[in-house]
Amino acid sequence: MNEALLRSLTPSVLGILVRRGADFAAAEDAVQDALVNAVRVWPADPPRDPKGWLVTVAWHRFLDATRADAARRRREDLVDEEPAPEPAPGVDDTLRLYFLCAHPSLTPSSAVALTLRAVGGLTTRQIAQAYLVPEATMAQRISRAKRTVSGVRFDQPGDVATVLRVLYLVFNEGYSGDVDLAAEAIRLTRQLASAIDHPEVAGLLALMLLHHARRATRTAPDGGLVPLAEQDRARWDTESIAEGVEILQAALARDRLGEFQAQAAIAALHADAPTAEETDWVQIVEWYDELARLTDSPVVRLNRAVAVGEADGPRAGLAALAALDDSLPRHTAVAAYLHERDGDLAAAARLYAEAARKAPNLAERDHLTRQAARLNTRRCR
Amino acid sequence: MAKYLLLKHYRGAPAAVNDVPMDKWTPEEISAHVQYMNDFAARLEETGEFVDSQALAPGGTFVRYDGEGRPPVTDGPFAETKDLIAGWMVIDVDSHERALELAGELSAAPGAGGKPIHEWLELRPFLTEPPTITE
């Protein structure tokens, strides 16, 4: 049984049911039923047209469920009156499903859960495990999300930016249990990129591929963080980098710059450098300027200060940092790094320790504590 | 999407505003309190924000390694001055603001006279996994 095939067919089957007039929640239940059926029946009797098979079975499930529910008599009448659906390109339905799952009326965590379930075809248990919450919690989150969007008209044009934000959230989740969420986000973004012609979709896909290419080198065997400059570049996935760069260049050539393209450009410059010393920091600062113009985000300006510190020296970096609010996440860690580069080891050690106390995750806290300890033990000897 | 721990304390937290020991409440007031807590948890299950909830017994013991081949050292039951955790609830919410709102709601559980106890709760964020993108 090909689970990947089933998962890739899920969104378009679901999209077809909803376009035929099925309520989103009922359609999702019917598709899940059809998938369970496929797992049971296909090994002995593989269909010639898997998608057609799933649509037929799911549609019958939906009709059965609707008929069985006396309280839904009126909806049944509506369904019976529906004209026979005309065949339509599958990509359209998938695309609509992306927009529905990322609907602005949903909270970010609900949109993520619904996208993984409806578009990604993951089970509730898999999503719950990935987010380290009980299955019952995730089931509630998904069914509430389904109720929230059940009244939404399916033919409304969606907002690409919202869809991309949801996919980026999935990618950026560090958890990896049964399901690798980063790989899942790449798969979904790839699917979206083949369905929609938009430079920012390409930009996000390039960004994900470029970051994913470095994943194996980002943590030490003991789980400790390895900073970019110390990563073993020979172990970066060159195929993934080449693909990311190619997608990015095609997107940039269309001259409709967006924040994901700009972020991907920065990631590409890092990926391009044969050694950390050969990084083109001057160009990276220029891309951060573009990014700051596009997003006006204080986090971008914080990253820019790091790049300025590399391009023009630690004093310049500290000057750029001084203009920013020191309550920003990682502000203290950046200050510690720049003070160390500037030779002020006492201030750096103190700031590293302070940054460790504020760190949002264990790996970062351990890393920063080690930096403080490295400077403190060196100064004492 | 962030997890928070809501900690209730037997001792160690600042005194509640409506600070009457539970054994001085009427049975009805205790029932109302318990009902409030159950309803609160049920609502969080409904919203998909509930992760876990447990109550702890008041008795606790500090334990320490005492060297090779020797039994661990204990310091016996907690002395009055020590912080003592009564139980916890773990929630998974979209923002820090939402976590504060829920903690405030839990602190408003009814106590003596049916009035909110205004109990101090400790709200602690979980350390997360590092995000995929760090640099």
Side-chain angles (χ1 to χ4, degrees):
Chain A
M1 174 51 48
N2 189 341
E3 199 200 329
L5 172 67
L6 279 182
R7 271 168 56 187
S8 69
L9 290 175
T10 301
S12 56
V13 174
L14 185 51
I16 289 169
L17 258 66
V18 178
R19 183 165 46 77
R20 284 185 183 180
D23 166 75
F24 182 73
E28 223 265 341
D29 288 344
V31 172
Q32 291 301 324
D33 271 357
L35 292 174
V36 169
N37 234 313
V39 171
R40 202 160 43 84
V41 174
W42 287 11
D45 183 16
R48 251 178 313 173
D49 173 10
K51 183 169 149 188
W53 190 99
L54 284 171
V55 170
T56 306
V57 172
W59 183 244
H60 284 142
R61 285 292 163 128
F62 166 71
L63 291 181
D64 287 349
T66 310
R67 290 202 183 97
D69 191 349
R72 297 186 180 178
R73 182 66 56 191
R74 280 182 46 212
R75 186 179 302 156
E76 181 193 3
D77 294 343
L78 278 179
V79 168
D80 282 345
E81 286 162 15
E82 280 287 301
E86 78 289 2
V91 287
D92 264 356
D93 297 314
T94 307
L95 196 54
R96 289 177 193 175
L97 208 54
Y98 272 98
F99 289 131
L100 187 67
C101 293
H103 197 268
S105 63
L106 297 168
T107 63
S109 57
S110 300
V112 162
L114 194 59
T115 301
L116 288 172
R117 170 71 186 257
V119 190
L122 299 183
T123 65
T124 304
R125 175 190 293 268
Q126 286 173 317
I127 304 168
Q129 278 172 353
Y131 283 93
L132 305 174
V133 299
E135 195 176 342
T137 295
M138 193 48 80
Q140 273 303 339
R141 214 175 275 178
I142 291 170
S143 65
R144 278 175 69 90
K146 283 196 276 188
R147 279 203 300 277
T148 304
V149 296
S150 69
V152 173
R153 278 179 61 89
F154 202 47
D155 52 2
Q156 280 170 345
D159 173 15
V160 180
T162 315
V163 174
L164 294 181
R165 201 152 50 238
V166 168
L167 292 172
Y168 191 54
L169 276 178
V170 174
F171 180 74
N172 226 358
E173 273 309 319
Y175 304 124
S176 140
D178 181 22
V179 178
D180 181 340
L181 287 179
E184 184 63 21
I186 290 175
R187 186 179 77 81
L188 295 179
T189 309
R190 222 186 256 288
Q191 192 181 48
L192 182 65
S194 68
I196 186 173
D197 185 26
H198 191 295
E200 273 293 87
V201 179
L204 179 61
L205 179 57
L207 177 66
M208 288 179 177
L209 288 167
L210 288 163
H211 278 298
H212 205 59
R214 303 200 294 254
R215 182 160 88 156
T217 62
R218 199 172 287 131
T219 46
D222 66 358
L225 287 185
V226 182
L228 183 57
E230 289 161 31
Q231 287 172 16
D232 176 5
R233 290 170 189 240
R235 287 173 56 223
W236 285 358
D237 179 350
T238 47
E239 210 171 296
S240 193
I241 289 173
E243 192 193 353
V245 168
E246 193 182 327
I247 292 170
L248 173 66
Q249 279 169 344
L252 288 176
R254 299 176 56 185
D255 209 19
R256 278 169 59 202
L257 189 63
E259 56 176 303
F260 288 121
Q261 292 170 76
Q263 281 192 61
I266 293 165
L269 285 166
H270 285 302
D272 259 356
T275 64
E277 292 70 37
E278 290 169 85
T279 307
D280 186 348
W281 286 106
V282 174
Q283 228 194 115
I284 289 180
V285 171
E286 284 167 11
W287 276 112
Y288 272 121
D289 289 338
E290 288 282 3
L291 202 49
R293 197 174 50 76
L294 287 164
T295 65
D296 198 32
S297 146
V299 175
V300 165
R301 270 182 256 129
L302 184 69
N303 289 337
R304 183 183 168 278
V306 178
V308 167
E310 300 293 346
D312 303 330
R315 291 285 165 86
L318 285 167
L321 193 64
L324 300 172
D325 183 351
D326 62 9
S327 68
L328 278 171
R330 301 196 174 89
H331 186 284
T332 314
V334 170
Y337 174 75
L338 290 170
H339 276 291
E340 182 184 354
R341 295 255 342 258
D342 194 36
D344 187 351
L345 302 190
R350 181 178 52 74
L351 288 165
Y352 273 129
E354 189 189 328
R357 283 193 293 275
K358 293 185 197 163
N361 62 67
L362 264 180
E364 252 179 78
R365 185 172 73 185
D366 292 349
H367 174 73
L368 292 165
T369 307
R370 245 178 242 121
Q371 299 301 312
R374 175 175 57 81
L375 294 182
N376 283 328
T377 48
R378 187 202 287 167
R379 282 193 307 125
C380 293
R381 275 175 196 154
Chain B
M1 286 156 282
K3 293 193 186 65
Y4 289 87
L5 175 66
L6 290 169
L7 276 183
K8 282 173 81 78
H9 295 257
Y10 283 113
R11 293 192 295 272
V17 172
N18 183 9
D19 193 18
V20 180
M22 228 169 165
D23 58 4
K24 304 275 165 52
W25 300 2
T26 66
E28 293 73 27
E29 284 163 358
I30 294 172
S31 298
H33 179 81
V34 170
Q35 188 64 45
Y36 185 95
M37 310 291 276
N38 290 344
D39 290 348
F40 180 77
R43 263 201 317 282
L44 290 185
E45 285 176 28
E46 182 72 17
T47 57
E49 295 173 310
F50 180 85
V51 177
D52 184 40
S53 172
Q54 295 287 330
L56 293 174
T61 312
F62 271 112
V63 183
R64 191 198 75 193
Y65 174 66
D66 197 37
E68 193 67 47
R70 300 158 72 109
V73 178
T74 68
D75 84 335
F78 282 116
E80 268 314 302
T81 53
K82 281 178 188 159
D83 179 20
L84 196 49
I85 293 162
W88 70 71
M89 183 177 283
V90 180
I91 55 177
D92 187 9
V93 291
D94 268 310
S95 66
H96 183 245
E97 287 66 37
R98 176 66 177 156
L100 285 176
E101 179 185 320
L102 290 175
E105 206 179 304
L106 190 58
S107 165
K115 303 235 164 59
I117 38 184
H118 299 270
E119 170 188 33
W120 286 97
L121 295 170
E122 199 180 345
L123 180 69
R124 300 273 298 271
F126 276 53
L127 287 175
T128 63
E129 294 283 312
T132 300
I133 293 177
T134 52
E135 63 264 6

